[in-house]
């Protein structure tokens, strides 16, 4: 399921990717006391199974053993939020649903802090973005990370 979400992000199908992510997100199975009583597993751990048998509909199972949690984390962070670090560089290529107006990430790189703000200015299908670091436009949308003990402000405009 996590790989499907990631693939949907690569295909720029943001609505479907977020819908699937929300379906498997454990916290969405335990928002109320009634949902917790049905789910019966930890709401902060990926369950490998959600039972469908009549006496156990909605109950989670096989928690803590699965490595899929890391793939779901990557699908959310790298796929949906678009946060991709490569050595000393970072790119933010969001695949967020149209209903989102944006989001923020505070990221620490060695001695430096990066306050990243993503803002949606258009809901059109042809998504392009501009990346600014400390007010300067990055023509290649690549953020070059510096270990300079400063706080840097990053703004990505979609």
């Amino acid at each position: 399921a996590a790989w499907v979400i990631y693939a949907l992000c690569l295909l720029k199908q943001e609505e479907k990717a977020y819908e699937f992510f929300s379906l498997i997100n454990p916290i969405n199975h335990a928002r109320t006391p009634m949902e917790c009583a049905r789910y019966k597993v930890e709401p902060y751990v990926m369950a490998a199974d959600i039972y469908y048998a009549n006496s156990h509909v909605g109950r989670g199972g096989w928690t803590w053993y699965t490595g899929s949690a890391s793939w779901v984390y990557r699908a959310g962070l790298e796929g949906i939020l678009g946060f991709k670090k490569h050595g000393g560089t970072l790119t933010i290529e969001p695949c967020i649903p149209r209903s989102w107006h944006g989001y923020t990430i505070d990221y620490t790189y060695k001695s430096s802090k990066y306050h990243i703000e993503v803002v949606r200015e258009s809901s059109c299908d042809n998504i392009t973005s501009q990346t600014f670091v400390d007010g300067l436009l990055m023509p290649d949308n690549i953020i070059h990370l510096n270990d300079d003990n400063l706080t840097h402000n990053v703004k990505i405009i979609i």
Side-chain angles (χ1 to χ4, degrees):
W3 294 345
V4 169
I5 294 165
Y6 210 108
L8 289 167
C9 290
L10 293 173
L11 294 170
K12 303 297 184 200
Q13 294 191 20
E14 62 275 348
E15 302 300 325
K16 192 61 82 174
Y18 186 67
E19 176 188 352
F20 285 12
F21 185 84
S22 296
L23 282 172
I24 67 170
N25 187 345
I27 199 66
N28 289 333
H29 296 283
R31 294 171 295 193
T32 67
M34 183 182 289
E35 289 174 338
C36 286
R38 180 177 52 241
Y39 194 49
K40 296 187 183 207
V41 295
E42 308 88 338
Y44 47 83
V45 179
M46 286 303 304
D49 296 319
I50 305 295
Y51 302 134
Y52 192 68
N54 285 338
S55 60
H56 300 293
V57 171
R59 182 176 182 178
W62 292 85
T63 60
W64 289 104
Y65 90 96
T66 178
S68 65
S70 61
W71 281 106
V72 172
Y73 178 79
R74 287 187 70 178
L77 183 65
E78 295 176 2
I80 294 171
L81 298 181
F83 184 99
K84 296 178 183 116
K85 184 176 174 296
H86 304 281
T89 65
L90 177 65
T91 57
I92 309 288
E93 300 168 326
C95 184
I96 58 175
R98 288 191 173 98
S99 61
W100 287 21
H101 300 289
Y103 62 89
T104 61
I105 297 175
D106 289 316
Y107 175 65
T108 300
Y109 176 76
K110 298 183 181 182
S111 68
S112 300
K113 308 273 188 224
Y114 285 82
H115 177 73
I116 302 164
E117 179 183 17
V118 175
V119 178
R120 179 187 298 280
E121 288 192 349
S122 174
S123 61
C124 66
D125 288 334
N126 296 325
I127 296 176
T128 59
S129 65
Q130 291 181 311
T131 300
F132 296 86
V133 178
D134 297 327
L136 299 174
L137 177 64
M138 300 291 105
D140 53 6
N141 286 339
I142 295 174
I143 301 158
H144 297 275
L145 300 169
N146 294 305
D147 182 13
D148 57 11
N149 203 32
L150 297 174
T151 297
H152 298 278
N153 290 301
V154 177
K155 187 168 189 175
I156 291 96
I157 300 172
I158 302 172

